[in-house]
Amino acid sequence: MNRHVEYERLHNFRDLGGYRAGDGRVVRWGRLYRSDSLGKLRGADWERFAGLGVRTVIDLRYPSEIEARGRVPEAPGLEYHNLSIEHRPYDQAEIPAELDPWRYLADRFAEVALDGAVELRQALELIAAGSEPQVFHCASGKDRTGLLAGLVLALLGVAEDDIAADFALTELATARLVADWKAEHPGRTLNWPGYGRAPEEVIRLFLADLAAAYGSVHEYAVGHLGVDQALIERLREQLLTG
């Protein structure tokens, strides 16, 4: 099976299937996707997306981003949910170059995990309730999307090495993400050299921070997000084979 779904305008659309959980089951292919902004879908890209049979889109962006750059096209049978999980905006292009970039991003992830509890729980509830293909996305499919993907995979029992490897696949899209930023901001300079990057270290630091603060991702989900064990079991039944 191909993890990456190739599009002309999307750079970071991929299937979360195929990863092995701790109980020996495997994440189903074709059930849960992660992506950069679906507001870019049109023409042949839209036809390819429609062919996947996706029935639920979870957009993790700010409403202002959606207003400025659009959302997934409306279509019969396609549910759309905007759950803005990030509550403290920042401009990645202006991150000071002298900062430790991966520690800085992990700290932003920690803020999202703290502030976005309501929206993250809602996203997990939607994913656990769906029996047809779903996709969640942000702008680049990197940070907000990577955080939610990491949480889902961890709750499914996928090993940290696989979670980190999945996160780092965004590195294959970095050059195109940078090119898009420069095309959209012709009058600005991209000051941060880490823009568009997604090394494993970021998600590993974030997962370690959750473990230090809550004991584990599971305890974070239960204790801070308010997720119960029944929801976690529904998530596993929906997304794992066997």
Side-chain angles (χ1 to χ4, degrees), residues 60 62 65 83-90 108 112 115-116 119 143-144:
L60 304 176
Y62 289 100
E65 294 176 275
L83 301 175
S84 181
I85 64 173
E86 186 179 87
H87 292 205
R88 307 184 211 185
Y90 66 102
R108 303 292 74 73
V112 173
D115 300 342
E119 295 85 0
D143 298 319
R144 288 166 287 186

Side-chain angles (χ1 to χ4, degrees), residues 45-221:
D45 279 356
W46 168 250
E47 295 300 324
R48 174 164 291 185
F49 174 80
L52 296 175
V54 170
R55 291 293 174 265
T56 303
V57 172
I58 302 171
D59 188 339
L60 304 176
R61 295 175 299 163
Y62 289 100
S64 59
E65 294 176 275
I66 299 166
E67 182 178 358
R69 296 181 177 85
R71 47 153 282 183
V72 66
E74 295 185 27
L78 183 64
E79 290 187 9
Y80 173 79
H81 302 268
N82 177 213
L83 301 175
S84 181
I85 64 173
E86 186 179 87
H87 292 205
R88 307 184 211 185
Y90 66 102
D91 186 347
Q92 287 201 4
E94 299 296 338
I95 296 173
E98 65 271 16
L99 293 179
D100 178 341
W102 317 140
R103 180 69 265 174
Y104 182 90
L105 284 181
D107 288 346
R108 303 292 74 73
F109 281 31
E111 290 175 353
V112 173
L114 180 66
D115 300 342
V118 171
E119 295 85 0
L120 285 167
R121 183 181 68 250
Q122 290 173 335
L124 292 173
E125 289 171 345
L126 285 169
I127 294 169
S131 58
E132 296 182 285
Q134 300 175 303
V135 59
F136 56 90
H137 75 91
C138 56
S140 299
K142 182 173 79 73
D143 298 319
R144 288 166 287 186
T145 296
L147 184 156
L148 180 55
L151 291 181
V152 170
L153 292 176
L155 291 174
L156 294 177
V158 173
E160 182 177 314
D161 285 350
D162 287 331
I163 295 172
D166 181 81
F167 181 84
L169 287 175
T170 289
E171 296 266 280
L172 298 174
T174 295
R176 296 178 74 187
L177 295 173
V178 170
D180 276 1
W181 187 93
K182 290 180 177 179
E184 292 174 7
H185 303 89
R188 292 181 60 190
T189 299
L190 184 57
N191 293 318
W192 187 47
Y195 186 90
R197 296 287 311 281
E200 290 188 7
E201 184 178 352
V202 176
I203 197 70
R204 289 188 186 275
L205 285 169
F206 169 64
L207 293 174
D209 291 345
L210 283 189
Y214 299 94
S216 67
V217 173
H218 181 278
E219 293 306 313
Y220 159 76

Side-chain angles (χ1 to χ4, degrees), residues 4-17:
H4 290 83
V5 182
E6 297 298 329
Y7 293 90
E8 180 181 348
R9 295 175 60 83
L10 301 186
H11 310 322
N12 204 13
F13 192 109
R14 56 187 196 262
D15 196 322
L16 281 172

Side-chain angles (χ1 to χ4, degrees), residues 21-54:
D23 62 4
R25 291 186 288 175
V26 175
V27 182
R28 299 179 192 274
W29 290 99
R31 279 287 289 105
L32 187 62
Y33 299 94
R34 52 174 294 173
S35 181
D36 47 329
S37 173
L38 299 184
K40 297 182 283 185
L41 283 174
R42 64 195 64 169
D45 279 356
W46 168 250
E47 295 300 324
R48 174 164 291 185
F49 174 80
L52 296 175
V54 170

